[in-house]
Amino acid sequence: MQEKIVPLIRAIKTKEPAVAMAALNVLRQIGGVADAEFVALDLLPVLWSMSLGPLLDLQQFQAFQDLIKSLSSRVESEQTKKLQVRHTSSLQFEH
């Protein structure tokens, strides 16, 4: 489902704040269920692009930034755990 919705949101041409905020709510839902790689490579670039819309006010921009920070932290945490597990596994094979 997320692979179909995100390209549709990416294709939105209007810069209207109401549309951007509706898209933000959809992207927030997708971000809650998508894996970290999808979030990093597909969701965050869309969020950054939309957050820089010229018609957004400060509160709307901050709503985008809050989601960007939250999702970025999740990606960082999951990637860190993955690398730690990989590193631990490789150490076990060396001994």
Side-chain angles (χ1 to χ4, degrees):
M1 177 180 80
Q2 64 202 28
E3 291 85 3
K4 294 181 181 187
I5 294 173
V6 173
L8 292 174
I9 292 175
R10 189 181 295 125
I12 294 172
K13 297 294 181 218
T14 183
K15 300 297 181 192
E16 285 298 318
V19 174
M21 298 313 291
L24 175 66
N25 289 328
V26 172
L27 294 171
R28 182 179 291 115
Q29 296 302 314
I30 293 171
V33 297
D35 65 38
E37 185 173 342
F38 184 85
V39 169
L41 299 178
D42 293 292
L43 227 51
L44 286 171
V46 172
L47 285 165
W48 269 110
S49 177
M50 294 185 89
S51 77
L52 299 176
L55 302 177
L56 295 182
D57 64 24
L58 178 59
Q59 184 178 6
Q60 293 164 331
F61 172 75
Q62 287 174 331
F64 274 95
Q65 291 306 301
D66 288 345
L67 182 57
I68 288 168
K69 289 173 188 172
S70 170
L71 292 175
S72 293
S73 291
R74 192 179 119 218
V75 170
E76 179 182 1
S77 174
E78 289 184 26
Q79 184 67 13
T80 298
K81 286 177 192 169
K82 187 190 311 182
L83 293 172
Q84 286 171 337
V85 167
R86 187 183 310 159
H87 178 72
T88 303
S89 296
S90 69
L91 288 177
Q92 290 172 350
F93 288 121
E94 290 177 10
H95 295 293

Coordinates of all heavy atoms in Angstrom, one line a residue:
M1 N 0.8 -1.2 0.0 CA 0.0 0.0 0.0 C 0.9 1.3 0.0 O 0.6 2.2 -0.8 CB -0.9 0.0 1.2 CG -1.8 1.2 1.3 SD -2.9 1.3 2.7 CE -1.7 1.7 4.0
Q2 N 1.9 1.3 0.9 CA 2.7 2.5 1.0 C 3.5 2.8 -0.3 O 3.7 4.0 -0.7 CB 3.7 2.4 2.1 CG 4.7 1.2 1.9 CD 5.3 0.8 3.2 OE1 4.7 0.8 4.3 NE2 6.5 0.2 3.2
E3 N 3.8 1.7 -1.1 CA 4.5 1.9 -2.4 C 3.6 2.6 -3.4 O 4.1 3.2 -4.4 CB 5.0 0.6 -2.9 CG 6.1 0.0 -2.1 CD 5.7 -0.8 -0.9 OE1 4.5 -1.0 -0.7 OE2 6.5 -1.3 -0.2
K4 N 2.3 2.6 -3.2 CA 1.3 3.2 -4.1 C 1.0 4.6 -3.6 O 0.8 5.5 -4.5 CB 0.1 2.4 -4.3 CG 0.4 1.0 -4.9 CD -0.9 0.2 -5.1 CE -0.5 -1.1 -5.8 NZ -1.6 -1.9 -6.1
I5 N 0.9 4.8 -2.3 CA 0.4 6.1 -1.8 C 1.5 7.2 -1.9 O 1.3 8.3 -2.3 CB -0.1 5.9 -0.4 CG1 -1.3 5.1 -0.4 CG2 -0.4 7.3 0.3 CD1 -1.8 4.7 1.0
V6 N 2.7 6.8 -1.5 CA 3.8 7.8 -1.5 C 4.1 8.4 -2.9 O 4.2 9.7 -3.0 CB 5.1 7.3 -0.8 CG1 6.2 8.2 -1.0 CG2 4.8 6.9 0.6
P7 N 4.1 7.7 -4.0 CA 4.3 8.3 -5.3 C 3.1 9.3 -5.6 O 3.4 10.3 -6.2 CB 4.3 7.1 -6.2 CG 4.8 6.0 -5.4 CD 4.2 6.2 -4.1
L8 N 1.9 8.9 -5.2 CA 0.8 9.8 -5.4 C 1.0 11.1 -4.7 O 0.7 12.2 -5.2 CB -0.5 9.2 -5.0 CG -1.0 8.0 -5.8 CD1 -2.2 7.3 -5.2 CD2 -1.3 8.4 -7.3
I9 N 1.4 11.0 -3.4 CA 1.7 12.3 -2.7 C 2.8 13.1 -3.3 O 2.8 14.3 -3.3 CB 1.9 11.9 -1.2 CG1 0.6 11.4 -0.6 CG2 2.5 13.1 -0.4 CD1 0.7 10.9 0.9
R10 N 3.9 12.3 -3.7 CA 5.0 13.0 -4.3 C 4.6 13.8 -5.6 O 5.2 14.8 -5.9 CB 6.1 12.0 -4.7 CG 7.4 12.6 -5.1 CD 8.4 11.5 -5.5 NE 8.8 10.7 -4.3 CZ 8.7 9.4 -4.2 NH1 8.3 8.7 -5.3 NH2 9.1 8.7 -3.2
A11 N 3.6 13.3 -6.2 CA 3.2 13.9 -7.5 C 2.2 15.1 -7.3 O 1.9 15.8 -8.3 CB 2.4 12.9 -8.4
I12 N 1.9 15.4 -6.1 CA 1.0 16.6 -5.8 C 1.7 17.8 -6.2 O 2.8 18.1 -5.8 CB 0.6 16.6 -4.3 CG1 -0.3 15.4 -4.0 CG2 -0.1 17.9 -4.0 CD1 -0.6 15.3 -2.5
K13 N 1.1 18.6 -7.1 CA 1.7 19.8 -7.6 C 1.4 21.1 -6.8 O 2.1 22.0 -6.7 CB 1.3 20.1 -9.0 CG 1.8 19.0 -10.0 CD 3.3 18.9 -10.1 CE 3.7 17.8 -11.0 NZ 4.9 17.1 -10.6
T14 N 0.2 21.1 -6.2 CA -0.2 22.3 -5.4 C 0.6 22.5 -4.2 O 1.1 21.5 -3.6 CB -1.7 22.2 -5.0 OG1 -2.1 23.4 -4.4 CG2 -2.0 21.1 -4.1
K15 N 0.8 23.7 -3.8 CA 1.6 24.1 -2.6 C 0.7 24.6 -1.5 O 1.1 25.1 -0.5 CB 2.6 25.2 -3.0 CG 3.6 24.8 -4.0 CD 4.5 23.6 -3.6 CE 5.5 23.2 -4.6 NZ 6.2 22.0 -4.4
E16 N -0.7 24.3 -1.7 CA -1.6 24.8 -0.7 C -1.4 24.1 0.7 O -1.2 22.9 0.7 CB -3.0 24.4 -1.2 CG -3.6 25.3 -2.2 CD -3.7 26.8 -1.8 OE1 -4.1 27.0 -0.7 OE2 -3.3 27.6 -2.6
P17 N -1.3 24.9 1.7 CA -1.0 24.4 3.1 C -2.0 23.3 3.5 O -1.6 22.3 4.1 CB -1.1 25.6 4.0 CG -0.7 26.7 3.1 CD -1.3 26.4 1.7
A18 N -3.3 23.4 3.2 CA -4.3 22.4 3.6 C -4.0 21.1 3.0 O -4.1 20.0 3.6 CB -5.7 22.9 3.2
V19 N -3.6 21.1 1.7 CA -3.2 19.9 1.0 C -1.9 19.3 1.7 O -1.8 18.1 1.9 CB -3.0 20.1 -0.5 CG1 -2.5 18.8 -1.2 CG2 -4.3 20.6 -1.1
A20 N -1.0 20.1 1.9 CA 0.3 19.7 2.5 C 0.0 19.0 3.9 O 0.6 18.0 4.2 CB 1.3 20.8 2.6
M21 N -0.8 19.7 4.7 CA -1.1 19.1 6.0 C -1.9 17.8 6.0 O -1.7 16.9 6.8 CB -1.9 20.2 6.9 CG -1.1 21.5 7.1 SD 0.7 21.2 7.6 CE 0.4 20.6 9.2
A22 N -2.8 17.7 5.0 CA -3.5 16.4 4.8 C -2.5 15.3 4.4 O -2.5 14.2 4.9 CB -4.6 16.6 3.8
A23 N -1.6 15.7 3.5 CA -0.5 14.7 3.1 C 0.4 14.4 4.3 O 0.7 13.2 4.4 CB 0.3 15.3 2.0
L24 N 0.7 15.3 5.1 CA 1.5 15.1 6.3 C 0.8 14.0 7.2 O 1.5 13.1 7.7 CB 1.7 16.4 7.1 CG 2.4 16.2 8.5 CD1 3.8 15.8 8.3 CD2 2.3 17.5 9.2
N25 N -0.5 14.1 7.4 CA -1.2 13.2 8.2 C -1.2 11.8 7.6 O -1.0 10.8 8.3 CB -2.6 13.6 8.4 CG -2.7 14.8 9.4 OD1 -1.9 14.9 10.3 ND2 -3.7 15.7 9.2
V26 N -1.3 11.7 6.3 CA -1.2 10.4 5.6 C 0.3 9.8 5.8 O 0.5 8.6 6.1 CB -1.5 10.5 4.1 CG1 -1.2 9.2 3.4 CG2 -3.0 10.9 4.0
L27 N 1.2 10.7 5.6 CA 2.6 10.2 5.7 C 3.0 9.8 7.1 O 3.8 8.9 7.3 CB 3.6 11.3 5.2 CG 3.5 11.6 3.7 CD1 4.3 12.8 3.3 CD2 3.9 10.4 2.8
R28 N 2.4 10.5 8.1 CA 2.6 10.1 9.5 C 2.1 8.7 9.7 O 2.8 7.9 10.4 CB 1.9 11.1 10.4 CG 2.1 10.8 11.9 CD 1.4 11.7 12.8 NE 2.0 13.1 12.7 CZ 1.4 14.2 12.3 NH1 0.2 14.1 11.8 NH2 2.1 15.3 12.3
Q29 N 1.0 8.3 9.2 CA 0.4 7.0 9.3 C 1.3 6.0 8.6 O 1.6 4.9 9.2 CB -1.0 6.9 8.7 CG -2.0 7.8 9.4 CD -2.1 7.4 10.9 OE1 -2.2 6.3 11.3 NE2 -2.1 8.4 11.8
I30 N 1.8 6.3 7.4 CA 2.7 5.4 6.7 C 4.0 5.2 7.5 O 4.5 4.1 7.6 CB 2.9 5.9 5.3 CG1 1.6 5.8 4.5 CG2 4.0 5.1 4.6 CD1 1.7 6.5 3.1
G31 N 4.5 6.3 8.0 CA 5.7 6.3 8.8 C 5.7 5.4 10.0 O 6.6 4.8 10.4
G32 N 4.5 5.2 10.5 CA 4.3 4.4 11.7 C 4.3 2.9 11.4 O 4.6 2.1 12.3
V33 N 4.1 2.5 10.2 CA 4.1 1.1 9.8 C 5.2 0.7 8.8 O 5.5 -0.5 8.7 CB 2.7 0.7 9.3 CG1 1.7 0.8 10.3 CG2 2.4 1.4 8.0
A34 N 5.8 1.7 8.2 CA 6.8 1.3 7.1 C 8.1 1.0 7.8 O 8.5 1.4 8.9 CB 7.0 2.5 6.2
D35 N 8.9 0.1 7.1 CA 10.2 -0.2 7.6 C 11.2 1.0 7.5 O 11.0 1.9 6.7 CB 10.8 -1.5 6.9 CG 11.1 -1.3 5.5 OD1 11.5 -0.3 5.0 OD2 10.9 -2.3 4.7
A36 N 12.3 0.9 8.2 CA 13.2 2.0 8.3 C 13.8 2.4 7.0 O 14.0 3.6 6.7 CB 14.3 1.7 9.3
E37 N 14.1 1.4 6.1 CA 14.7 1.7 4.8 C 13.7 2.5 4.0 O 14.1 3.5 3.3 CB 15.1 0.4 4.1 CG 15.8 0.7 2.8 CD 16.4 -0.6 2.2 OE1 16.5 -1.6 2.9 OE2 16.7 -0.5 1.0
F38 N 12.5 2.1 4.0 CA 11.5 2.8 3.2 C 11.3 4.3 3.7 O 11.3 5.2 2.9 CB 10.1 2.1 3.2 CG 9.1 2.8 2.4 CD1 9.0 2.5 1.0 CD2 8.2 3.7 2.9 CE1 8.0 3.1 0.2 CE2 7.2 4.3 2.1 CZ 7.2 4.0 0.8
V39 N 11.3 4.4 5.0 CA 11.2 5.7 5.6 C 12.4 6.6 5.2 O 12.2 7.7 4.8 CB 11.2 5.6 7.2 CG1 11.3 7.0 7.8 CG2 9.8 5.0 7.6
A40 N 13.6 6.1 5.3 CA 14.8 6.8 4.9 C 14.9 7.2 3.5 O 15.2 8.4 3.1 CB 16.0 6.0 5.3
L41 N 14.5 6.3 2.6 CA 14.8 6.5 1.2 C 13.6 7.1 0.4 O 13.7 7.7 -0.6 CB 15.2 5.2 0.5 CG 16.5 4.6 1.1 CD1 16.7 3.2 0.4 CD2 17.6 5.5 0.9
D42 N 12.4 6.8 1.0 CA 11.2 7.3 0.2 C 10.4 8.4 1.0 O 9.9 9.3 0.4 CB 10.3 6.1 -0.1 CG 10.9 5.2 -1.1 OD1 11.1 5.6 -2.2 OD2 11.3 4.0 -0.7
L43 N 10.2 8.2 2.3 CA 9.3 9.1 3.0 C 10.0 10.4 3.4 O 9.4 11.5 3.2 CB 8.9 8.4 4.3 CG 7.4 8.4 4.7 CD1 6.5 8.0 3.5 CD2 7.1 7.6 5.9
L44 N 11.2 10.3 4.0 CA 11.9 11.5 4.4 C 12.1 12.5 3.3 O 11.9 13.7 3.5 CB 13.1 11.2 5.2 CG 12.9 10.6 6.6 CD1 14.2 10.1 7.2 CD2 12.3 11.6 7.5
P45 N 12.5 12.1 2.1 CA 12.7 13.1 1.0 C 11.4 13.8 0.7 O 11.4 15.0 0.4 CB 13.2 12.2 -0.2 CG 13.9 11.1 0.5 CD 13.1 10.8 1.7
V46 N 10.3 13.1 0.7 CA 9.0 13.7 0.4 C 8.7 14.7 1.5 O 8.2 15.8 1.2 CB 7.9 12.6 0.2 CG1 6.5 13.3 0.1 CG2 8.2 11.8 -0.9
L47 N 8.9 14.3 2.7 CA 8.6 15.2 3.9 C 9.4 16.5 3.8 O 8.9 17.6 4.0 CB 8.8 14.5 5.2 CG 7.7 13.5 5.5 CD1 8.1 12.5 6.7 CD2 6.4 14.2 5.9
W48 N 10.7 16.3 3.5 CA 11.6 17.5 3.4 C 11.1 18.4 2.3 O 11.0 19.6 2.5 CB 13.0 17.1 3.2 CG 13.8 16.9 4.5 CD1 14.2 15.8 5.0 CD2 14.1 18.0 5.4 NE1 14.8 16.0 6.2 CE2 14.8 17.4 6.5 CE3 13.9 19.3 5.4 CZ2 15.3 18.1 7.6 CZ3 14.4 20.1 6.5 CH2 15.1 19.4 7.6
S49 N 10.8 17.9 1.2 CA 10.4 18.7 0.0 C 9.1 19.4 0.4 O 9.0 20.6 0.1 CB 10.1 17.8 -1.2 OG 9.6 18.5 -2.2
M50 N 8.1 18.7 1.0 CA 6.9 19.4 1.3 C 7.0 20.4 2.4 O 6.3 21.4 2.5 CB 5.8 18.3 1.7 CG 5.4 17.5 0.5 SD 4.1 16.3 0.9 CE 2.7 17.4 0.5
S51 N 7.9 20.1 3.4 CA 8.1 21.1 4.5 C 8.7 22.4 4.1 O 8.5 23.4 4.8 CB 9.1 20.5 5.5 OG 10.4 20.6 5.1
L52 N 9.3 22.5 2.9 CA 9.8 23.7 2.4 C 8.9 24.5 1.5 O 9.2 25.5 0.9 CB 11.1 23.4 1.7 CG 12.2 22.8 2.5 CD1 13.4 22.5 1.7 CD2 12.6 23.7 3.7
G53 N 7.6 24.1 1.5 CA 6.6 24.8 0.7 C 6.5 26.2 1.1 O 6.5 26.6 2.3
P54 N 6.4 27.1 0.1 CA 6.5 28.5 0.4 C 5.3 29.1 1.1 O 5.3 30.2 1.7 CB 6.7 29.2 -1.0 CG 6.0 28.1 -1.9 CD 6.3 26.8 -1.3
L55 N 4.2 28.4 1.1 CA 3.0 28.9 1.7 C 2.7 28.4 3.1 O 1.7 28.9 3.8 CB 1.8 28.6 0.8 CG 1.8 29.0 -0.6 CD1 0.6 28.6 -1.4 CD2 1.9 30.6 -0.7
L56 N 3.6 27.5 3.6 CA 3.4 27.0 5.0 C 3.7 28.1 6.0 O 4.6 28.9 5.8 CB 4.3 25.8 5.3 CG 4.0 24.6 4.5 CD1 5.0 23.5 4.9 CD2 2.6 24.1 4.6
D57 N 3.0 28.1 7.1 CA 3.3 29.0 8.2 C 4.3 28.3 9.1 O 4.6 27.1 8.9 CB 2.1 29.6 8.9 CG 1.3 28.5 9.6 OD1 1.8 27.5 10.0 OD2 0.1 28.8 9.8
L58 N 4.7 29.0 10.2 CA 5.7 28.4 11.1 C 5.2 27.2 11.8 O 5.9 26.2 11.9 CB 6.1 29.5 12.1 CG 7.1 29.0 13.2 CD1 8.4 28.5 12.5 CD2 7.4 30.1 14.2
Q59 N 4.0 27.2 12.2 CA 3.4 26.0 12.9 C 3.3 24.8 12.0 O 3.6 23.7 12.4 CB 2.0 26.4 13.5 CG 1.4 25.3 14.3 CD 0.0 25.7 14.8 OE1 -0.5 26.8 14.5 NE2 -0.5 24.8 15.6
Q60 N 2.9 25.0 10.8 CA 2.9 23.9 9.8 C 4.2 23.4 9.5 O 4.4 22.2 9.4 CB 2.2 24.4 8.5 CG 0.7 24.8 8.8 CD 0.1 25.6 7.6 OE1 0.8 26.4 7.0 NE2 -1.2 25.4 7.5
F61 N 5.2 24.3 9.3 CA 6.6 23.9 9.1 C 7.1 23.0 10.2 O 7.7 22.0 10.0 CB 7.5 25.1 8.8 CG 9.0 24.7 8.8 CD1 9.5 24.1 7.7 CD2 9.8 25.0 9.9 CE1 10.9 23.8 7.6 CE2 11.1 24.7 9.8 CZ 11.7 24.1 8.7
Q62 N 6.8 23.5 11.4 CA 7.2 22.7 12.6 C 6.6 21.4 12.7 O 7.2 20.4 13.2 CB 7.0 23.6 13.9 CG 8.0 24.7 14.0 CD 7.7 25.7 15.1 OE1 6.6 25.9 15.5 NE2 8.8 26.3 15.6
A63 N 5.3 21.2 12.3 CA 4.7 19.9 12.3 C 5.4 19.0 11.4 O 5.6 17.8 11.7 CB 3.2 20.1 11.8
F64 N 5.9 19.5 10.2 CA 6.7 18.6 9.3 C 8.0 18.3 10.0 O 8.4 17.1 10.0 CB 7.0 19.4 8.0 CG 5.9 19.2 7.0 CD1 4.9 20.1 6.8 CD2 5.9 18.0 6.1 CE1 3.9 19.9 5.9 CE2 4.9 17.9 5.2 CZ 3.9 18.8 5.1
Q65 N 8.6 19.3 10.6 CA 9.9 19.0 11.3 C 9.8 18.0 12.4 O 10.7 17.2 12.6 CB 10.5 20.3 11.8 CG 11.0 21.2 10.6 CD 11.9 20.6 9.7 OE1 13.0 20.1 10.0 NE2 11.5 20.5 8.4
D66 N 8.7 18.1 13.1 CA 8.5 17.1 14.2 C 8.5 15.7 13.7 O 9.1 14.8 14.3 CB 7.2 17.4 15.0 CG 7.3 18.7 15.9 OD1 8.5 19.2 16.1 OD2 6.3 19.2 16.3
L67 N 7.7 15.5 12.6 CA 7.6 14.2 12.0 C 9.0 13.7 11.4 O 9.4 12.6 11.6 CB 6.5 14.1 11.0 CG 6.3 12.7 10.3 CD1 6.0 11.6 11.4 CD2 5.2 12.7 9.3
I68 N 9.7 14.7 10.7 CA 11.0 14.4 10.2 C 11.9 13.9 11.3 O 12.6 12.9 11.1 CB 11.5 15.6 9.4 CG1 10.7 15.8 8.1 CG2 13.0 15.4 9.1 CD1 11.0 17.1 7.4
K69 N 12.0 14.6 12.4 CA 12.9 14.3 13.5 C 12.5 13.0 14.1 O 13.4 12.1 14.4 CB 12.9 15.4 14.5 CG 13.5 16.7 14.1 CD 13.3 17.8 15.1 CE 13.8 19.1 14.6 NZ 13.5 20.2 15.4
S70 N 11.2 12.7 14.3 CA 10.8 11.5 14.9 C 11.2 10.3 14.0 O 11.7 9.3 14.4 CB 9.3 11.5 15.1 OG 8.8 10.3 15.4
L71 N 10.9 10.4 12.7 CA 11.2 9.3 11.8 C 12.7 9.1 11.6 O 13.2 8.0 11.5 CB 10.5 9.5 10.4 CG 9.0 9.4 10.4 CD1 8.4 9.8 9.0 CD2 8.5 8.1 10.8
S72 N 13.4 10.2 11.6 CA 14.9 10.2 11.5 C 15.5 9.4 12.7 O 16.4 8.6 12.5 CB 15.5 11.5 11.3 OG 15.1 12.1 10.1
S73 N 15.0 9.7 13.8 CA 15.5 9.1 15.1 C 15.2 7.6 15.0 O 16.0 6.8 15.4 CB 14.8 9.7 16.3 OG 15.2 11.0 16.5
R74 N 14.0 7.2 14.5 CA 13.7 5.8 14.4 C 14.6 5.1 13.4 O 15.1 4.0 13.7 CB 12.2 5.6 13.9 CG 11.8 4.2 14.1 CD 10.3 4.0 13.7 NE 10.4 3.1 12.6 CZ 9.6 3.1 11.5 NH1 8.7 4.1 11.4 NH2 9.7 2.2 10.6
V75 N 14.9 5.7 12.3 CA 15.8 5.2 11.3 C 17.2 5.0 11.9 O 17.8 3.9 11.8 CB 15.9 6.0 10.0 CG1 17.0 5.6 9.1 CG2 14.5 6.0 9.2
E76 N 17.7 6.0 12.6 CA 19.0 6.0 13.2 C 19.0 4.8 14.2 O 20.0 4.1 14.2 CB 19.3 7.3 13.9 CG 20.6 7.3 14.6 CD 20.9 8.6 15.3 OE1 20.0 9.5 15.3 OE2 22.0 8.7 15.9
S77 N 18.0 4.7 15.0 CA 18.0 3.7 16.1 C 18.0 2.3 15.5 O 18.8 1.4 15.9 CB 16.8 3.9 17.0 OG 16.6 2.9 17.9
E78 N 17.1 2.1 14.5 CA 17.0 0.8 13.9 C 18.3 0.4 13.1 O 18.8 -0.7 13.2 CB 15.8 0.7 13.0 CG 14.5 0.7 13.8 CD 13.3 0.5 12.9 OE1 13.4 -0.1 11.8 OE2 12.2 0.9 13.3
Q79 N 18.9 1.4 12.4 CA 20.1 1.1 11.7 C 21.3 0.8 12.7 O 22.1 -0.1 12.4 CB 20.5 2.3 10.7 CG 21.7 2.0 9.9 CD 21.5 0.9 8.8 OE1 20.4 0.5 8.6 NE2 22.5 0.5 8.2
T80 N 21.3 1.6 13.7 CA 22.4 1.3 14.8 C 22.3 -0.1 15.3 O 23.3 -0.8 15.4 CB 22.3 2.4 15.9 OG1 22.5 3.7 15.3 CG2 23.3 2.1 17.0
K81 N 21.0 -0.5 15.7 CA 20.8 -1.8 16.2 C 21.3 -2.9 15.2 O 21.9 -3.9 15.5 CB 19.4 -2.1 16.6 CG 19.0 -1.4 17.8 CD 17.5 -1.6 18.1 CE 17.0 -0.6 19.2 NZ 15.5 -0.6 19.3
K82 N 20.9 -2.7 13.9 CA 21.2 -3.6 12.9 C 22.8 -3.8 12.8 O 23.3 -4.9 12.7 CB 20.6 -3.2 11.5 CG 20.8 -4.2 10.4 CD 20.4 -3.7 9.1 CE 19.1 -3.1 8.9 NZ 18.8 -2.7 7.6
L83 N 23.5 -2.6 12.8 CA 24.9 -2.7 12.7 C 25.6 -3.3 13.9 O 26.6 -4.0 13.8 CB 25.4 -1.3 12.4 CG 25.0 -0.7 11.0 CD1 25.4 0.8 10.9 CD2 25.6 -1.5 9.9
Q84 N 25.0 -3.0 15.1 CA 25.6 -3.6 16.3 C 25.4 -5.1 16.3 O 26.3 -5.8 16.6 CB 24.9 -3.0 17.5 CG 25.3 -1.6 17.8 CD 24.4 -1.0 18.9 OE1 23.3 -1.3 19.1 NE2 25.0 0.1 19.5
V85 N 24.3 -5.6 15.8 CA 24.0 -7.0 15.7 C 25.0 -7.6 14.7 O 25.6 -8.7 15.0 CB 22.6 -7.4 15.3 CG1 22.4 -8.8 14.9 CG2 21.6 -7.0 16.5
R86 N 25.2 -7.0 13.6 CA 26.1 -7.5 12.6 C 27.5 -7.5 13.1 O 28.3 -8.5 12.9 CB 26.0 -6.6 11.3 CG 26.9 -7.2 10.2 CD 26.9 -6.3 8.9 NE 25.5 -5.9 8.5 CZ 25.3 -4.8 7.8 NH1 26.3 -4.1 7.4 NH2 24.1 -4.5 7.4
H87 N 27.9 -6.5 13.8 CA 29.3 -6.4 14.4 C 29.5 -7.5 15.4 O 30.5 -8.1 15.4 CB 29.5 -5.0 15.0 CG 30.8 -4.8 15.6 ND1 32.0 -4.8 14.9 CD2 31.2 -4.8 16.9 CE1 33.0 -4.6 15.7 NE2 32.6 -4.6 16.9
T88 N 28.5 -7.7 16.3 CA 28.6 -8.7 17.3 C 28.7 -10.1 16.7 O 29.4 -10.9 17.1 CB 27.3 -8.6 18.2 OG1 27.3 -7.3 18.8 CG2 27.4 -9.7 19.4
S89 N 27.9 -10.3 15.6 CA 27.9 -11.6 14.9 C 29.2 -11.9 14.3 O 29.8 -13.0 14.4 CB 26.8 -11.7 13.9 OG 25.5 -11.6 14.5
S90 N 29.8 -10.8 13.7 CA 31.1 -11.0 13.0 C 32.2 -11.3 14.1 O 33.2 -12.0 13.8 CB 31.5 -9.8 12.2 OG 31.7 -8.7 12.9
L91 N 32.1 -10.7 15.2 CA 33.1 -10.9 16.3 C 33.0 -12.4 16.8 O 34.0 -13.0 17.1 CB 32.9 -10.0 17.5 CG 33.3 -8.5 17.3 CD1 33.0 -7.7 18.5 CD2 34.8 -8.4 16.9
Q92 N 31.8 -12.9 16.8 CA 31.6 -14.3 17.3 C 32.2 -15.3 16.3 O 32.8 -16.3 16.7 CB 30.1 -14.6 17.5 CG 29.5 -13.9 18.7 CD 28.0 -14.1 18.8 OE1 27.4 -14.6 17.8 NE2 27.5 -13.6 19.9
F93 N 32.2 -15.0 15.0 CA 32.7 -15.9 14.0 C 34.2 -15.8 14.0 O 34.9 -16.7 13.5 CB 32.2 -15.5 12.6 CG 30.7 -15.9 12.5 CD1 29.8 -15.0 12.2 CD2 30.3 -17.3 12.6 CE1 28.4 -15.4 12.0 CE2 29.0 -17.7 12.5 CZ 28.1 -16.7 12.2
E94 N 34.8 -14.7 14.4 CA 36.3 -14.6 14.4 C 36.9 -15.4 15.5 O 38.1 -15.8 15.4 CB 36.7 -13.1 14.6 CG 36.4 -12.2 13.4 CD 36.7 -10.8 13.6 OE1 37.4 -10.4 14.6 OE2 36.3 -10.0 12.8
H95 N 36.2 -15.7 16.6 CA 36.8 -16.5 17.7 C 36.5 -17.9 17.6 O 35.8 -18.5 17.1 CB 36.2 -15.9 19.0 CG 36.7 -14.5 19.2 ND1 38.0 -14.1 19.5 CD2 36.0 -13.4 19.3 CE1 38.1 -12.8 19.6 NE2 36.9 -12.3 19.5

